[in-house]
Amino acid sequence: MAKAKTIFLCSNCGSDFPKWMGKCPVCGEWGSINEEVIHRDTTSKQLHPQFSAEKSKALLLSEVESTQEARIGTGGPELDRVLGGGLVQGSMVLLGGEPGIGKSTLVLQTAIKMTHKRILYVSGEESLQQIKMRAERIKGENPQAYFLAETSLENIFEQIIQIKPELLIIDSIQTLSTEVADSSPGSVTQVRECATALLKVAKTLGMPIILIGHINKEGSLAGPKVLEHIVDTVLLFEGDTHHFYRILRSVKNRFGSIAEIGMYEMRSDGLREVTNPSELLLSQHQDGLSGVAIAAAIEGIRPFLIETQALVSTAAYGTPQRSTTGFDLRRLNMLLAVLEKRAGFKIAQKDVFLNIAGGIRVNDPAIDLSVIAAILSSNLNLSIGNKICLAGEVGLAGEIRPVNRLEQRIMEAQKLGFEQIIVPDFAESGTDLRRFKIRIDKVRKVEESFRLLFG
Ligand code: TYD
Ligand code: MG
C-alpha cells in the first residue's frame, strides 16, 4: 500500500514546508499555506520506468555537441515567431489566457495544421464530440492527430506509450490529476505534480508539450507560480472577448526573445493570422472625428499604426470617472496630470474615457503622445487630420522622450500613406531622416505638438 506523506504547500508560490506557518517565508504571502497529502510511492516514475531519465554526467563545454536545437514548425508563422522559431524538442510551453479568448481554438488549429507530425491532443474540458464540432468549423484535417478526452495523468501516460506522439497538447493543466496526490484537480499539489511529471516525460522522449493554463481575475496564471518556473516558455493569449483581435505574447522564453508578438483575428472559421497589423486601424478609421489620434507603435519588432480614441466630458457626478480599454489606467492618470500641470488644460473635473482600437492592449510607451493628443482633441472638439500620426513617450515634466526604432515607425507611416508624423526631437546616432518623403515634425514639449496639431 502506498505510504502517504503530509506536506504543507503555499498556494501562492508552490513552495512546500514540513510544518504549517502563517506566512510563507518564500513569497511573503499570509495564510496561503495548506496541508496536502501525497503518496510518494506511486509516482509516475514507478508506474512507467521508461520515463525515468538516465543519470547524467558532468561534461566539459568542449564535450557538449553544439547542435542548434532542432525547431519544429507549428504550421503557423505567428506562433512560430513568438516561440522563437518553432517548438523546441523536449520543451514545455504554457499557453495562458482568459476563458473564451481562443486558447483551445489556437492549439486545435495547430494540431490540425501540423500534418507532418503525430500529435496527441488531450482535453480534460471538452468531449471528443465537442472537439470534432470545433474542428469542423476550422476545417482541415490531420490524419496523424489523435484526440483523447481524459483527466487522469496515469491514463494519459498509457496513451503516450501507445501512440508515441511527436507533440503533446494538454487542455488544460488545471483539469489533470494524478494518483500521487489526494487533492482535487486544479489544486496546487495536483498542478505541480502533473506538470513536473509531464516535464520529465517531455525531456525523456524529446517530445514538446503545450499546456493550456487558465488565468485568474488578477491576470496571472491560476495555480502556483511554480508552474511558470517549471515550463520553458510562457505565452499569454490576450484580447477583449468582445472584439475580434487577439495578441499572443511571450512572457518567458528559454529559447527565444520575449519581445515578439503574434496577432490573430477570431473569425467564424477559427483564428486567422494577421500579417499586416496596421489593418487593425485602417479598417476602422473615419475622417473628421474629434478625439481620435493615430499612434505609430511597435510591439515586439513589428511597427504598426493604431488608433487611440478619447472621450472627455464634464463629470456628471462629483468624482470624475476615468476608464480605459487597452491602456494602463495609472498611466492615463499620470498623462492627465501632466496635461493639467504642464500644459494648463483644466480636465481635473472631466470624465475621461480612453480606448485603443480593436480592444488590444499596447505596452509601447510611444503611444503616450497620441493618447494625450486624442484627449485634447476631444476636449477641444477639434479633429486631427487623418493623415497625421504621432510617436513619443511623455515624461512627467511634459517633455517628449525618445522612442526606440524611430525610423521603422516613420517608414511604416510613410508606407501606409500618412503625410505627417510628429516625433521626439532626439536624433539617434546614424539616423538620416532626410531620406523619408513624409513630413517629420520634431517636438520637445507637449505644447509644441499641440501647436502643430491644433494651431
Ligand atoms: P475557445 O478556443 O474555446 O477559448 P478558450 O479555450 O480560451 O476558453 O474559443 C472561445 C470562443 O471563440 C467561443 O466563444 C467561440 C469563438 N469561436 C469563434 O468565433 N470561431 C471559431 O471558429 C471557434 C472555434 C470559436
Ligand atoms: Mg478551452
Side-chain angles (χ1 to χ4, degrees), residues 14-233:
S15 316
D16 59 40
F17 308 98
K19 65 174 177 44
W20 187 86
M21 276 172 279
K23 181 186 177 189
C24 172
V26 176
C27 67
E29 189 79 7
W30 284 92
S32 61
I33 295 179
N34 300 308
E35 185 176 337
E36 305 254 5
V37 180
I38 289 192
H39 304 286
R40 276 291 175 200
D41 283 10
T42 57
T43 57
S44 43
K45 196 160 137 191
Q46 270 131 353
L47 268 175
H48 298 293
Q50 52 268 71
F51 291 151
S52 61
E54 277 173 34
K55 283 216 181 75
S56 46
K57 188 171 138 250
L59 290 178
L60 295 170
L61 278 184
S62 56
E63 295 172 298
V64 180
E65 282 177 62
S66 65
T67 45
Q68 273 273 306
E69 323 105 13
R71 297 277 183 167
I72 305 167
T74 61
E78 296 289 302
L79 180 57
D80 278 353
R81 202 187 33 245
V82 178
L83 286 169
L87 286 162
V88 172
Q89 300 214 321
S91 71
M92 196 142 93
V93 177
L94 178 65
L95 172 66
E98 284 174 35
I101 208 74
K103 301 180 296 297
S104 305
T105 310
L106 181 65
V107 290
L108 180 62
Q109 262 177 288
T110 306
I112 287 175
K113 270 193 231 150
M114 291 176 69
T115 44
H116 54 298
K117 295 283 172 200
R118 200 165 41 255
I119 290 161
L120 177 58
Y121 181 119
V122 182
S123 179
E125 308 207 326
E126 289 160 316
S127 66
L128 293 180
Q129 284 73 21
Q130 280 172 306
I131 297 175
K132 193 177 166 101
M133 267 164 57
R134 190 193 296 260
E136 279 164 0
R137 278 176 86 167
I138 295 169
K139 299 186 186 76
E141 213 174 309
N142 181 356
Q144 294 201 85
Y146 293 85
F147 294 88
L148 172 70
E150 182 59 77
T151 56
S152 148
L153 190 68
E154 283 71 21
N155 293 351
I156 294 171
F157 282 168
E158 220 57 80
Q159 290 293 307
I160 293 175
I161 292 165
Q162 273 186 25
I163 293 171
K164 299 192 180 59
E166 292 160 286
L167 168 66
L168 174 68
I169 295 173
I170 306 263
D171 185 2
S172 64
I173 181 73
Q174 278 96 352
T175 57
L176 292 195
S177 63
T178 165
E179 292 159 13
V180 172
D182 267 348
S183 44
S184 54
S187 68
V188 188
T189 333
Q190 287 291 2
V191 168
R192 194 177 79 156
E193 293 297 317
C194 291
T196 323
L198 282 167
L199 182 75
K200 209 172 282 165
V201 176
K203 300 286 175 229
T204 321
L205 302 181
M207 164 188 71
I209 301 184
I210 301 180
L211 295 179
I212 287 186
H214 292 288
I215 251 178
N216 60 20
K217 277 195 222 73
E218 294 85 52
S220 56
L221 283 152
K225 259 268 174 282
V226 75
L227 190 54
E228 288 174 50
H229 297 305
I230 293 173
V231 300
D232 300 299
T233 304

